[in-house]
Amino acid sequence: MVKQGPKAPTYYHEWTQIPPRMPTRGPNAPSSHHGRHPQPPHRTTKHLRAPLPAPPQPPTSLPTAPGRPRPPSPCPPRLAEGRAGAGRTAHIRRGQPRAKGWKGPGFSSPRWARGLGGVKGREESSSMELGWLLWGAAVLLLLPVLMELSPAVNFALRIGFYYLLFFVCSALTAPVCLLVNGGRTVKNMRIIKTVVKTFKYFFGLRFEVKGLENFEVEGPAIIVSNHQSILDMMGLMEVLPDNCVQVGKKELMYAGTVGLIIYLGGVIFINRKSTSSAKMVMAEVAKTMATDNVKVWVYPEGTRNCTGDLLPFKKGAFHVAVQAQVPVIPVVYSSFTTFYNPKKNLFTSGKIKVEVLPPIETKGLTSDDVSELTDRCYRIMRETLFRLSGRPGEVKDSS
């Protein structure tokens, strides 16, 4: 005779509970082949009208077959709420692994298995770091060889480092200028000069300077010099006197941190593309010299010239000197062609000779004398350039 199963649930909450597991073997095993759990008996209206007892508490542990101990549940038992809750917790209470695609609670991987991923990741990251270190060491070892074998690589690396040095030092010097002097003033040139004078040691350049005593003139003055390349900034800071501002092209103001630092240094920007604007700026320069008692550094060629000769001079600086009745002080740098030539990808160490010539007086001169003053200054500077560059005979041949 088949034993009756558990009492049919009368509450909906009871239907959600998992019935106890029935034995499949032994004298108490059911003989019916309709399933493991017997069907609940038919309920009549009398059962529905009868007072319903309180729902029983769910069992804390489920019976197991004799001789087959059940493994402990991976999570504490909990009450299932509704049909969906029963479906989610059934496999957990029975100790079965969670189904494929199930994102709910279930068996978790052991601690030793979870640690394997971290160890493997650390090993991969350390191997990648070691690989980058080896590549970096190889590049650093090959750079001197490439610089010796390829002039283009040598030129590109040295010019790139030159620009990088200027940008980085400008970014570091600008806050110092703001803290010390509070803004745009010619006094910041002392700080900038101290920093830029150290650049020559990175590129193996040596300066030989003569005639610095010619800067010691009372009052303002116009200083004119030849303009060869971007290396002129180092030569400028090597001999720059105190209370001296430069006249530069307007495009330099937008050169990032370099534009910021030269703006703080009081550089006067001029628009070379507009003649009327350039004349207005030079008129303001004359007023600034008279009111602030400063010297003004001008490149009369107007642009860079790395040919080893001088380009024709523009007359703007000499007009200002005659208008303000201040002396003109020529400054000449020897040619850079022996160690610097962008067309030939040449950039090595070298020696630069600098000579400050005696001042040329302009008192009593008028605007009619500007052309003669310009030609006189041009001849003197050209002769000095050839002499400093070791080509004194070329002056007579060209004349």
Side-chain angles (χ1 to χ4, degrees):
M1 181 175 182
V2 180
K3 295 184 64 176
Q4 293 292 334
K7 182 180 177 181
T10 55
Y11 278 87
Y12 176 77
H13 183 72
E14 280 187 85
W15 282 95
T16 62
Q17 303 303 318
I18 301 175
R21 188 171 181 180
M22 299 298 295
T24 57
R25 297 179 181 179
N28 297 329
S31 59
S32 175
H33 63 278
H34 295 288
R36 183 175 297 179
H37 308 296
Q39 297 294 330
H42 177 69
R43 294 192 299 172
T44 61
T45 310
K46 181 179 180 181
H47 292 89
L48 297 177
R49 292 181 180 179
L52 300 177
Q57 296 296 328
T60 56
S61 62
L62 298 178
T64 58
R68 297 178 61 184
R70 181 178 298 278
S73 177
C75 58
R78 61 180 181 180
L79 293 178
E81 298 179 2
R83 296 181 181 271
R88 287 197 300 267
T89 57
H91 68 278
I92 300 176
R93 291 186 177 180
R94 296 179 183 176
Q96 300 174 358
R98 52 188 177 179
K100 182 178 181 181
W102 169 248
K103 298 182 180 180
F107 288 110
S108 59
S109 58
R111 186 172 299 177
W112 62 269
R114 293 196 302 268
L116 288 179
V119 173
K120 185 176 181 181
R122 288 193 295 269
E123 291 179 353
E124 291 179 355
S125 61
S126 61
S127 61
M128 291 179 62
E129 293 176 357
L130 180 60
W132 281 110
L133 289 176
L134 293 176
W135 274 106
V139 170
L140 292 177
L141 292 175
L142 289 176
L143 276 180
V145 179
L146 292 175
M147 292 176 67
E148 292 293 335
L149 297 178
S150 175
V153 173
N154 178 54
F155 182 81
L157 290 176
R158 291 175 73 91
I159 286 294
F161 180 68
Y162 182 78
Y163 279 113
L164 179 64
L165 196 62
F166 259 101
F167 278 103
V168 172
C169 291
S170 299
L172 298 177
T173 310
V176 179
C177 295
L178 291 173
L179 292 175
V180 174
N181 297 314
R184 175 180 166 89
T185 174
V186 69
K187 296 179 181 179
N188 288 327
M189 275 298 170
R190 295 182 179 179
I191 304 174
I192 301 172
K193 177 180 177 181
T194 305
V195 175
V196 177
K197 285 181 69 173
T198 61
F199 290 4
K200 59 185 177 183
Y201 302 109
F202 292 98
F203 303 96
L205 299 179
R206 304 184 309 276
F207 288 90
E208 183 181 320
V209 184
K210 294 181 180 180
L212 286 177
E213 64 277 2
N214 293 322
F215 282 140
E216 299 175 359
V217 295
E218 295 183 1
I222 293 290
I223 304 174
V224 293
S225 70
N226 55 326
H227 190 20
Q228 300 186 64
S229 69
I230 58 175
L231 303 183
D232 289 339
M233 182 61 67
M234 291 189 289
L236 170 67
M237 296 301 168
E238 193 70 23
V239 299
L240 184 70
D242 293 336
N243 295 327
C244 180
V245 297
Q246 298 84 47
V247 176
K249 58 183 180 180
K250 188 178 180 180
E251 291 79 5
L252 290 175
M253 190 167 52
Y254 309 104
T257 56
V258 176
L260 174 62
I261 196 65
I262 61 179
Y263 172 80
L264 294 175
V267 174
I268 302 173
F269 299 100
I270 186 172
N271 187 4
R272 298 181 302 177
K273 299 179 181 179
S274 176
T275 305
S276 59
S277 176
K279 290 182 179 180
M280 293 177 59
V281 171
M282 296 309 292
E284 294 179 0
V285 168
K287 295 180 182 179
T288 303
M289 285 193 307
T291 56
D292 298 341
N293 192 21
V294 296
K295 299 178 177 62
V296 179
W297 192 294
V298 184
Y299 296 106
E301 294 176 276
T303 186
R304 300 170 187 169
N305 174 34
C306 197
T307 61
D309 202 346
L310 293 180
L311 295 176
F313 284 175
K314 300 183 182 297
K315 299 179 181 180
F318 302 98
H319 274 289
V320 173
V322 172
Q323 180 181 352
Q325 295 290 293
V326 296
V328 178
I329 304 177
V331 179
V332 183
Y333 294 86
S334 62
S335 177
F336 295 171
T337 54
T338 56
F339 63 90
Y340 180 83
N341 192 339
K343 295 181 180 180
K344 299 180 180 179
N345 291 324
L346 178 64
F347 189 6
T348 60
S349 58
K351 184 179 181 180
I352 301 173
K353 296 181 179 181
V354 189
E355 187 168 341
V356 183
L357 302 179
I360 302 174
E361 294 294 336
T362 60
K363 290 182 178 181
L365 300 181
T366 62
S367 58
D368 298 334
D369 302 322
V370 171
S371 297
E372 182 181 355
L373 176 64
T374 304
D375 294 338
R376 178 185 175 187
C377 188
Y378 179 83
R379 290 194 303 269
I380 293 175
M381 292 181 64
R382 194 162 182 260
E383 292 176 1
T384 307
L385 172 63
F386 289 150
R387 176 170 54 82
L388 294 177
S389 303
R391 299 176 296 170
E394 296 186 15
V395 181
K396 297 180 181 180
D397 296 340
S398 59
S399 60

